Amino acid sequence: EDQVTQSPEALRLQEGESSSLNCSYTVSGLRGLFWYRQDPGKGPEFLFTLYSAGEEKEKERLKATLTKKESFLHITAPKPEDSATYLCAVQHTGNQFYFGTGTSLTVIP
Amino acid sequence: EPEVTQTPSHQVTQMGQEVILRCVPISNHLYFYWYRQILGQKVEFLVSFYNNEISEKSEIFDDQFSVERPDGSNFTLKIRSTKLEDSAMYFCASSEMAGAYGYTFGSGTRLTVV
């Protein structure tokens, strides 16, 4: 059973059109939920770590929030350079991450 | 900003051949990882390494795979006898501490088995 599910799979936004990406998880004993950005042919680039429900983190046009079952990555007034795949990963036991399949975001000028 | 460096960026190998993928983790990091991503699929955990030994490994990491830290800077992944299904991007990552902290990933090695 998938532990991390991301939606939508793909999202096309006009420049300036705000939206949210979803990451739902089913693990118990969450130690951390991570958001990464991945550009084509590159490794994941760390964005945020969230540890407990109610926590929020912000970086430029991105804001990540966490509840007991899901996390949202809010993108405010996106720009074309925000186009990338956004990956969610959870850590519960051990040190390994369990990744979702990602949301491919395209921001059209 | 410190980086995890992986070489080569792309490797093509014949089925059945051995390959070694190389990584230079961030210098003060103590925990090292290999992940892989088959085209169009999730990033999957292979193995974690600490204090010169494997600390965790997944079902994917079978006897065909091995890891080594041959000196103070390099961290390698060896695949003994490559199969077509080993074709993937292989990412090395490192972290300063264990626990729920983010890793830094390298840019990956694209392995193509023909």
Side-chain angles (χ1 to χ4, degrees), chain A residues 2 4 31 34 36 38 41-44 51 91 94-97 99-101, chain B residues 31 33 35 37 42-43 45 56 89 91 98-103 105-107:
Chain A
D2 280 354
V4 183
R31 297 172 73 192
F34 302 83
Y36 281 84
Q38 187 176 28
K42 301 289 187 183
Y51 295 105
Q91 187 180 40
N95 221 7
Q96 62 174 286
F97 285 5
F99 280 87
T101 50
Chain B
Y31 297 82
Y33 313 89
Y35 281 74
Q37 187 175 30
K42 294 182 183 183
V43 176
F45 171 76
E56 293 173 77
M89 280 288 279
F91 294 109
Y101 295 95
Y103 312 154
F105 282 86
S107 291

